[in-house]
Amino acid sequence: MALIIISSCWTIAFAGQMQAPPIVPPGSGTLILPGSETTSERGLLDKLLPSITRTIIALAGALAVLFMIYGGIQILTAYGKPDKIEAAKKTITWAIAGLLIAILSYSIVSIIGGIRL
């Protein structure tokens, strides 16, 4: 189960990096292959920073989901002890907060990354 969650988060993190090859205008006479741009329009930092950010956010989301599962296991093994149930509830609450922060930060990074000055 955890492997499915981690792999889906990994897929979501790198889904935005796939790009369609550029369309060659008819009659231009030049063929542009993907990844062979000669202009230095996008530097290394422009390519590297979004992928690192998305990877970190995806790992944070996966970690939050794992902590939710851990909190659920804590509740199941608490055997009715109120202090252990409260600790498990706090774990799940903070895991949900972390997941929300990861989702919001992903959307903020996507919005800012889409702005071209």
Side-chain angles (χ1 to χ4, degrees):
M1 178 72 174
L3 183 61
I4 294 170
I5 293 169
I6 292 172
S7 64
S8 62
C9 289
W10 193 262
T11 304
I12 290 170
F14 289 106
Q17 296 179 2
M18 293 185 245
Q19 296 177 355
I23 299 173
V24 178
S28 68
T30 58
L31 177 64
I32 302 172
L33 298 175
S36 65
E37 297 95 8
T38 56
T39 62
S40 62
E41 187 176 319
R42 296 191 64 174
L44 179 64
L45 188 61
D46 289 341
K47 293 178 184 177
L48 190 61
L49 191 59
S51 65
I52 290 174
T53 307
R54 287 187 182 114
T55 303
I56 291 172
I57 292 170
L59 290 176
L63 192 62
V65 170
L66 290 176
F67 270 105
M68 280 190 261
I69 293 169
Y70 176 68
I73 292 171
Q74 281 182 324
I75 286 178
L76 291 175
T77 59
Y79 299 115
K81 296 178 185 173
D83 56 338
K84 289 190 175 187
I85 292 175
E86 278 301 313
K89 285 182 182 179
K90 285 183 182 179
T91 301
I92 293 173
T93 302
W94 284 110
I96 291 172
L99 185 62
L100 290 175
I101 289 171
I103 291 170
L104 288 174
S105 61
Y106 178 78
S107 62
I108 290 170
V109 167
S110 296
I111 290 169
I112 291 174
I115 297 175
R116 295 288 177 188
L117 299 175

